[in-house]
Amino acid sequence: KVIDLVKTVGIDTGLVFKYGQSNGLYTITRKAINTEKFGTRFIGYGSTKNIPATYRDGAKRLTFDPGYIDRNVAVYGIIERPVIFEDVFPQRTGTISGVDGLKITDSGLDFDLNDVIVQGQAKVVFKSGDLNGQEFEIASYNHATKTITINANEEEKGYILPNGIVKPNIGDQYTLIGIEMPASYIEAAEAELYTRTLAYAEANKNPLYAYDLAIDEKFIRDNNLVGLIKKGDRVTVEDLDLGINVTHRDSG
């Protein structure tokens, strides 16, 4: 009951297959496989969380200047591809330095939470510890002591969180949502959004294709290749009419 893993399967055989008589292929069919991601103008959006009402003339989602990244427009023309990263928004990961029941203290909090709270929406979201993933409404904040008081959550069958067993602890990490973050955090989030959009654009700036090949068995026999090409091996496929010159991995 042992499973052995290897980093890669198959080798590059160096073999070249072309369409046509005595070239190894009866037919070759190309099918695009990343049509939902491929584009040339990638319009990046972040989340709607923690965006001030005055942000970029009322924009609801995080964005950046100029809002898009172009790749291969000269080759394929403008093909717009909106990309949304819901996990990118102005935020700060804080660490709890003190706990007293429903009160958590963060000695590193570097702004007055009272100035940025959106009433009825502000919440603490735990990112580690017993309450990892749990959200709690903020009841009040004392900037002098940097203490946040949260409201308890009542779940099904009257189960209360936090409680004497499942509770915040010193060292737990959290973030804040439903607030209007200071400008420095907005700028940092925009920079992250640009970086994420750029990476997505680089990965999807060219269409990806899968190729179905009908290999000439006579070509295999005549070139003494019987039994030599295995699943995972790579061969080069050429077809000038279709503009194909790619390394293809055999899937069996």
Side-chain angles (χ1 to χ4, degrees), residues 129-132 134 136 159-169:
D130 295 346
L131 298 172
N132 185 27
Q134 296 287 333
F136 298 90
Y159 186 70
I160 304 294
L161 282 177
N163 54 49
I165 299 174
V166 183
K167 60 186 187 302
N169 292 287

Side-chain angles (χ1 to χ4, degrees), residues 39-250:
T40 60
R41 173 163 290 178
F42 298 88
I43 306 170
Y45 297 103
S47 174
T48 59
K49 296 177 182 177
N50 296 356
I51 303 297
T54 56
Y55 180 68
R56 292 184 179 271
D57 297 324
K60 300 301 182 183
R61 286 188 176 274
L62 187 75
T63 185
F64 57 87
D65 289 326
Y68 61 87
I69 294 174
D70 281 351
R71 288 293 183 272
N72 284 342
V73 170
V75 178
Y76 303 108
I78 295 178
I79 303 172
E80 293 189 346
R81 183 64 61 193
V83 187
I84 298 177
F85 300 95
E86 291 287 2
D87 59 332
V88 179
F89 57 92
Q91 60 181 303
R92 169 185 175 273
T93 297
T95 302
I96 296 175
S97 57
V99 178
D100 181 11
L102 295 176
K103 297 181 178 181
I104 58 174
T105 299
D106 179 359
S107 59
L109 192 55
D110 56 355
F111 56 89
D112 189 342
L113 195 54
N114 292 314
D115 294 337
V116 296
I117 283 179
V118 178
Q119 293 298 327
Q121 299 182 34
K123 295 181 180 180
V124 169
V125 182
F126 284 89
K127 301 177 72 173
S128 67
D130 295 346
L131 298 172
N132 185 27
Q134 296 287 333
E135 300 181 3
F136 298 90
E137 292 183 356
I138 296 175
S140 62
Y141 173 67
N142 185 329
H143 189 55
T145 60
K146 298 187 177 182
T147 298
I148 303 170
T149 302
I150 61 176
N151 292 325
N153 291 340
E154 183 174 351
E155 299 187 347
E156 294 181 4
K157 298 181 180 179
Y159 186 70
I160 304 294
L161 282 177
N163 54 49
I165 299 174
V166 183
K167 60 186 187 302
N169 292 287
I170 293 174
D172 287 355
Q173 292 188 321
Y174 74 96
T175 192
L176 300 164
I177 61 173
I179 67 173
E180 297 182 351
M181 295 293 290
S184 60
Y185 290 93
I186 295 175
E187 292 168 2
E190 289 181 350
E192 180 185 356
L193 177 61
Y194 174 86
T195 299
R196 294 276 295 273
T197 305
L198 177 61
Y200 190 95
E202 290 294 337
N204 296 284
K205 64 184 180 182
N206 289 305
L208 298 179
Y209 296 99
Y211 298 93
D212 290 327
L213 312 175
I215 296 177
D216 182 353
E217 295 180 4
K218 184 176 183 299
F219 177 87
I220 297 294
R221 291 194 302 270
D222 291 348
N223 289 274
N224 299 316
L225 299 176
V226 177
L228 295 182
I229 303 176
K230 301 178 176 61
K231 290 184 179 181
D233 286 350
R234 293 175 292 280
V235 299
T236 298
V237 177
E238 292 183 5
D239 189 315
L240 298 181
D241 292 339
L242 291 178
I244 298 171
N245 188 339
V246 297
T247 298
H248 180 77
R249 192 164 186 256
D250 180 24

